[in-house]
Amino acid sequence: MSNTTFSGPVRAGTVKYNAGANVGNVVLSQTYDTGDLTGATVGNVDTRIGTLPANAIIVDITIDQVVASVTGTTTVSVGNASGGAQLSAAVATTAGGRFRGTATAATQLAWQIGTTDTAIWVRNATGTATLTAGRFVVTVFYIQK
């Protein structure tokens, strides 16, 4: 997948010369794929997955457990600091599927990125036993101001 850099509003549609027509925000994303988690031992692993630009607004965070955890368990959270769950509360993902952390007033407020760039961290908490299989993908969807 390639990357694109641009600045300014994006115009999409059939009206070409009206200053306010067909101008809107683009939803962007940053994605982290753990790869094969076979051999992950009991404990927490914190990974910085990217940085959101100042004044961005997060619109969604999804956690896709694409390979169910086997033997051990997995719990995933997303934060703006190592070990944090400020953006997405910890959610048990062991069985596989698509998950979202429980939204609270605090997490929704944290989705309003302040005036400085903000690091995004994912915590994988492996519990009960060493994993013999597992993999998840975290995607943070946001609008850049």
Side-chain angles (χ1 to χ4, degrees):
M1 180 182 295
S2 64
N3 295 314
T4 303
T5 302
F6 63 89
S7 179
V10 174
R11 186 179 303 264
T14 58
V15 179
K16 190 173 182 179
Y17 297 107
N18 182 333
N22 299 325
V23 176
N25 295 315
V26 175
V27 176
L28 304 165
S29 66
Q30 292 189 25
T31 300
Y32 167 69
D33 184 335
T34 62
D36 184 5
L37 291 172
T38 299
T41 58
V42 174
N44 299 324
V45 176
D46 296 324
T47 305
R48 184 174 174 167
I49 67 167
T51 303
L52 295 184
N55 300 308
I57 298 172
I58 296 172
V59 294
D60 199 9
I61 298 173
T62 60
I63 303 162
D64 295 318
Q65 185 84 28
V66 295
V67 176
S69 298
V70 178
T71 309
T73 60
T74 50
T75 303
V76 180
S77 60
V78 182
N80 56 22
S82 179
Q86 300 88 346
L87 304 174
S88 179
V91 60
T93 62
T94 302
R98 176 163 279 183
F99 302 90
R100 290 176 170 87
T102 303
T104 66
T107 59
Q108 297 312 110
L109 183 60
W111 284 21
Q112 314 300 310
I113 304 302
T115 57
T116 59
D117 292 350
T118 298
I120 303 297
W121 291 80
V122 169
R123 168 168 275 191
N124 174 31
T126 300
T128 67
T130 299
L131 296 180
T132 57
R135 176 180 171 199
F136 64 85
V137 178
V138 175
T139 304
V140 178
F141 299 92
Y142 65 97
I143 297 171
Q144 183 175 341
K145 183 168 183 166

